[in-house]
Amino acid sequence: MQLQNPNKIIQSIGIPFTALLSVVFGLLLVSFPIGIYVIFETNVGGDINFEYPLTHLDLFVGTDFYKSSLDVSIGDAFVVLWIFYLVLFVIAILGPRHNFFKTLSPIISFGKYDTRVNYMIGITKWFSILILISTLINYVQQGIGLEIVPPLAENNLIQFFYVSLAPLLEEFGFRLILIGVPLFALYSTKSSLKYFVKCLWSPANLDIYDAKKAFLLIIFVGVLFGFAHIAFGDSWSTGKFAQAAASGIILGWVYIRYGFVVSLLIHWAANYFVFSYANFISQINVISIEDAFSHSLMSTLEILLLVTGIFSICILFVNRFYSKKESTLEV
């Protein structure tokens, strides 16, 4: 016998849950034109603009590219990044098996909950959880006098470009290379290039029979991710370590469960999405970026994400409990 009645608890939580995810999705979508507007239509860079040569960035100091004659501007590179993230965003809306809105419907109607059929569900849900965990860590650390101080930004336009580029570089290094490759070495049953790429894209394609090794790998890389944020002279203060390590562990878990698209776009949301709104507020109100983060709109966005994170954790626990209960009733 199998339990046939819909899960009323998931169904009741699912209504506000899906509404909140839809709002977060809309805000993520709107951040695309906002970012383009900030880069090309505002004075965000002060004495420089989007035509600033890419090769003049400190990113290339010590390489042959630094101040070379390569005719590529920050604006050009930003548009390439922007298009890349937009393509992944569309993929996340449509796949891997059902589109975003089609996946939300069964949660409301029947209490059926499976976020792995759509990338965007995983992105909006786990992004809000990441923000919730990060906020709690920051609150606890402030209580003991441990502040999180960001690195000094030489220019707001350059900073916005860097935070847009960082998710791609860091997810490639910390998730694909440091988690994806070892997982393939540990659990792969084939050796073809096609299978290797498929497993890097989504480690769920591997038969991870011993989850303990995978969890230890996630934790190790997460701690490494946290250390990387404070290890250099112009990095964050030491208070960032716990927050970054927790984020790294969440991103590692998400990468294994949902794949590269989800972990990358969550990281993108934590960087580009947040700074696109902050810079937009800064430019519209003619205030500093620091003051923009204290603006009422940014506070509203934070509250929205915190509430969504709470609902996301609740529905995770309820769904896990319900799944166990259902399995015990199967004969």
Side-chain angles (χ1 to χ4, degrees):
M1 184 178 71
Q2 185 173 2
L3 187 65
Q4 297 295 330
N5 294 329
N7 187 342
K8 295 296 183 182
I9 299 177
I10 290 182
Q11 195 175 6
S12 61
I13 298 175
I15 295 172
F17 172 68
T18 53
L20 287 165
L21 290 192
S22 299
V23 173
V24 173
F25 163 73
L27 290 168
L28 291 173
L29 184 61
V30 170
S31 73
F32 279 99
I34 286 178
I36 285 290
Y37 175 80
V38 166
I39 291 291
F40 293 99
E41 298 294 335
T42 71
N43 192 35
V44 65
D47 56 344
I48 67 171
N49 61 19
F50 59 87
E51 295 179 335
Y52 187 76
L54 183 69
T55 56
H56 286 213
L57 295 176
D58 290 344
L59 180 69
F60 297 105
V61 170
T63 71
D64 293 336
F65 288 104
Y66 187 59
K67 294 190 176 180
S68 68
S69 58
L70 186 66
D71 187 22
V72 179
S73 69
I74 282 186
D76 296 330
F78 182 85
V79 168
V80 171
L81 277 174
W82 188 87
I83 292 172
F84 173 76
Y85 288 128
L86 182 60
V87 169
L88 289 185
F89 197 83
V90 173
I91 290 172
I93 294 171
L94 300 177
R97 295 197 293 275
H98 299 310
N99 68 53
F100 176 64
F101 296 104
K102 187 176 180 180
T103 308
L104 290 178
S105 180
I107 302 174
I108 301 172
S109 303
F110 308 110
K112 291 183 178 179
Y113 178 73
D114 184 3
T115 59
R116 285 178 293 181
V117 299
N118 179 258
Y119 293 129
M120 188 56 66
I121 298 287
I123 292 163
T124 49
K125 181 183 72 174
W126 281 100
F127 172 51
S128 63
I129 291 174
L130 185 147
I131 295 297
L132 176 62
I133 298 299
S134 296
T135 302
L136 290 174
I137 290 172
N138 188 36
Y139 178 78
V140 171
Q141 290 190 159
Q142 284 182 340
I144 59 174
L146 188 59
E147 297 288 335
I148 298 177
V149 181
L152 292 175
E154 54 181 303
N155 181 281
N156 288 336
L157 184 147
I158 293 174
Q159 180 191 45
F160 190 27
F161 175 74
Y162 279 157
V163 298
S164 301
L165 176 63
L168 180 58
L169 298 180
E170 292 176 1
E171 289 307 300
F172 180 84
F174 286 95
R175 255 54 72 181
L176 282 184
I177 302 301
L178 294 182
I179 293 181
V181 173
L183 281 179
F184 186 82
L186 287 169
Y187 300 109
S188 173
T189 56
K190 305 176 187 176
S191 59
S192 70
L193 179 61
K194 182 180 179 181
Y195 183 63
F196 175 66
V197 173
K198 185 179 179 181
C199 292
L200 283 187
W201 180 258
S202 179
N205 290 303
L206 292 166
D207 180 19
I208 302 179
Y209 50 86
D210 180 9
K212 186 183 294 185
K213 292 179 182 178
F215 285 136
L216 288 174
L217 181 62
I218 290 171
I219 293 169
F220 173 76
V221 174
V223 171
L224 197 63
F225 185 69
F227 182 72
H229 279 74
I230 65 168
F232 306 101
D234 56 350
S235 298
W236 293 76
S237 66
T238 53
K240 183 66 176 177
F241 172 77
Q243 195 182 68
S247 298
I249 291 169
I250 291 172
L251 289 170
W253 160 250
V254 165
Y255 169 60
I256 289 179
R257 185 168 175 80
Y258 301 97
F260 184 66
V261 170
V262 178
S263 67
L264 177 59
L265 285 182
I266 290 173
H267 201 154
W268 163 85
N271 284 28
Y272 168 91
F273 165 76
V274 171
F275 274 84
S276 65
Y277 279 95
N279 277 300
F280 179 73
I281 291 168
S282 170
Q283 293 301 303
I284 293 297
N285 293 282
V286 196
I287 57 177
S288 68
I289 187 73
E290 292 79 16
D291 289 339
F293 275 105
S294 301
H295 191 272
S296 57
L297 177 57
M298 292 300 290
S299 298
T300 301
L301 291 178
E302 183 180 18
I303 291 170
L304 173 69
L305 289 168
L306 293 177
V307 172
T308 307
I310 292 169
F311 269 91
S312 297
I313 289 175
C314 287
I315 206 165
L316 275 173
F317 279 107
V318 170
N319 184 63
R320 184 172 178 82
F321 169 79
Y322 180 72
S323 299
K324 286 183 177 181
K325 184 177 179 181
E326 186 177 46
S327 65
T328 59
L329 293 175
E330 294 178 0
V331 177

